[in-house]
Amino acid sequence: MVSYLEPDMEAEKHRTGSATLYIDYLTDRYELQPGYKRNKKELQKLDSLMSPLRNEEKQAHIENIRICGYASPEGSYEHNETLSSNRARYFMNYMLDTYRLHESLFDVSWVPEDWSTLARLIKQKQPAGYKEMLDAIRTIPTFDKRERKLKNILDGKPYAYLFENIYPLLRRIEVTVNYNVDKVTNEQAAELIYTRPQMLSLQEMYRVARYYRPGTEQYREIYEIAAHHFPDDAVANINAASAEILTGDLVSARNYLQRYENDARAWNNLGVLAFIEEDMEKAAEWFRKALGVEPHKARKNLRMAEEALKQKQNQ
């Protein structure tokens, strides 16, 4: 008997969505041109974020939108601040016009030179001279002097690599949207689970699961969707493990449970896994631990495990 847990009721459905866009600009310009280079593809990320929030049913209500513009270190700090700040502001104007939003929703900021991300990417990719570059970033406090030092390492060859391969990854716009979502009916939830699952609470997702028989692929799919959209929620992961056990996928079930061996709510399911794997001693151990949490199920499961142990000993 596997465990199915009831999630806590969400008083309000607060959600956060984000997108990182690598916008191409004309040299030293900050006006957004949607058809320029890869911008059309990048702006599709923004549409994927915003479209579910602008649907006709008005189920989502935007609280605020944060835009942060980033520049790379070439050029002076003052010049990069002008670029990053203006690009962030112009991007806000693009969103205002495109999605018919009010300016009061927006919080706009910028990072003229993103040295922390640069250091992380240098450490990750390890180009020639990377140790000297990391040391310069760590020890030289003045940004413009850091830039000059990077240009002089190994006759500028590492800097040419940075300029071509890493600096484009620093120039970006990050958009974060905080919004609330209305409660929905069962019929609406059954549609949204496959189209906009981020709009649903765990309770609403589980109401959809009740349309299907436990052990079916559709039943398992709902619980997998729930665990995917609530990856750090113990209830979502433990329930997904139960659905996987019923369909016989023990590997997936264990993947869901392995983070929760110290969570009493997972002990009964861990016992069921051990039972199916025919480790009756381990199963009995888990079921005994679970007696104080789920006495009805754990007691029945323990009785079966102990009976299996007796049969094994009598063979």
Side-chain angles (χ1 to χ4, degrees):
M1 298 181 68
V2 294
S3 302
Y4 280 98
L5 310 177
E6 285 294 326
D8 293 332
M9 184 70 68
E10 280 190 89
E12 290 185 329
K13 293 192 291 184
H14 295 289
R15 298 289 183 268
T16 299
S18 61
T20 300
L21 291 81
Y22 297 93
I23 300 296
D24 289 313
Y25 294 91
L26 295 172
T27 303
D28 290 338
R29 300 305 301 171
Y30 35 80
E31 298 87 355
L32 173 58
Q33 299 187 24
Y36 183 62
K37 291 187 176 181
R38 58 181 173 177
N39 288 349
K40 182 178 180 180
K41 181 178 179 181
E42 290 299 302
L43 290 171
Q44 288 175 354
K45 299 177 184 177
L46 184 64
D47 282 336
S48 296
L49 173 63
M50 296 300 299
S51 293
L53 310 183
R54 309 297 297 166
N55 61 79
E56 294 179 357
E57 294 85 358
K58 304 296 183 186
Q59 292 162 331
H61 310 280
I62 298 174
E63 285 192 327
N64 59 73
I65 300 173
R66 296 197 303 272
I67 294 175
C68 188
Y70 292 81
S72 50
E74 75 272 19
S76 69
Y77 185 89
E78 181 180 2
H79 177 69
N80 291 330
E81 182 166 33
T82 298
L83 278 181
S84 58
S85 61
N86 283 326
R87 287 173 178 176
R89 292 190 184 101
Y90 268 74
F91 194 85
M92 179 191 71
N93 291 335
Y94 171 82
M95 291 191 68
L96 287 171
D97 294 339
T98 302
Y99 302 107
R100 299 293 186 266
L101 300 168
H102 196 278
E103 190 172 348
S104 62
L105 291 172
F106 287 85
D107 176 18
V108 179
S109 61
W110 52 90
V111 177
E113 298 182 1
D114 188 6
W115 289 96
S116 59
T117 301
L118 175 59
R120 178 177 58 80
L121 291 172
I122 290 173
K123 188 175 182 180
Q124 175 185 323
K125 296 180 181 296
Q126 297 188 0
Y130 80 95
K131 290 184 179 179
E132 194 172 352
M133 287 190 284
L134 290 174
D135 184 65
I137 292 171
R138 184 176 61 254
T139 60
I140 300 176
T142 306
F143 293 155
D144 290 345
K145 288 183 179 179
R146 283 186 198 172
E147 175 76 4
R148 288 196 292 271
K149 175 64 176 178
L150 294 182
K151 289 181 177 179
N152 292 327
I153 293 172
L154 297 179
D155 297 324
K157 292 180 180 178
Y159 185 83
Y161 175 87
L162 294 184
F163 191 85
E164 184 69 24
N165 298 284
I166 295 184
Y167 279 7
L169 301 177
L170 304 180
R171 307 179 200 119
R172 64 196 190 277
I173 297 286
E174 292 187 352
V175 183
T176 303
V177 183
N178 293 299
Y179 59 97
N180 294 322
V181 184
D182 292 337
K183 295 179 181 179
V184 299
T185 65
N186 289 352
E187 291 74 17
Q188 289 172 320
E191 178 182 347
L192 290 170
I193 192 73
Y194 294 111
T195 58
R196 299 193 293 273
Q198 69 272 24
M199 311 284 274
L200 300 178
S201 66
L202 271 181
Q203 297 93 334
E204 290 164 342
M205 291 182 177
Y206 292 161
R207 292 207 307 264
V208 177
R210 296 190 186 115
Y211 290 138
Y212 303 105
R213 182 170 55 84
T216 62
E217 281 300 314
Q218 297 95 330
Y219 185 82
R220 175 171 76 165
E221 192 173 50
I222 300 300
Y223 282 93
E224 287 178 338
I225 291 171
H228 175 76
H229 284 277
F230 295 90
D232 298 318
D233 190 287
V235 171
N237 282 273
I238 293 169
N239 285 347
S242 299
E244 300 290 359
I245 290 171
L246 291 181
T247 56
D249 188 347
L250 303 188
V251 173
S252 294
R254 190 167 295 283
N255 287 337
Y256 283 122
L257 289 175
Q258 60 187 359
R259 288 190 294 159
Y260 299 101
E261 291 190 353
N262 294 323
D263 191 318
R265 295 170 295 180
W267 292 345
N268 182 66
N269 277 359
L270 287 162
V272 173
L273 270 181
F275 186 96
I276 297 173
E277 293 168 346
E278 299 185 0
D279 186 347
M280 298 306 164
E281 291 184 359
K282 190 66 176 177
E285 179 182 337
W286 283 118
F287 292 143
R288 290 190 190 98
K289 292 180 67 173
L291 283 172
V293 185
E294 292 191 83
H296 176 68
K297 290 181 179 179
R299 189 176 295 110
K300 286 191 174 183
N301 290 339
L302 177 59
R303 194 175 300 127
M304 288 188 289
E306 290 176 338
E307 182 62 31
L309 275 172
K310 288 179 182 177
Q311 291 178 3
K312 186 176 181 180
Q313 291 167 357
N314 293 332
Q315 288 177 353

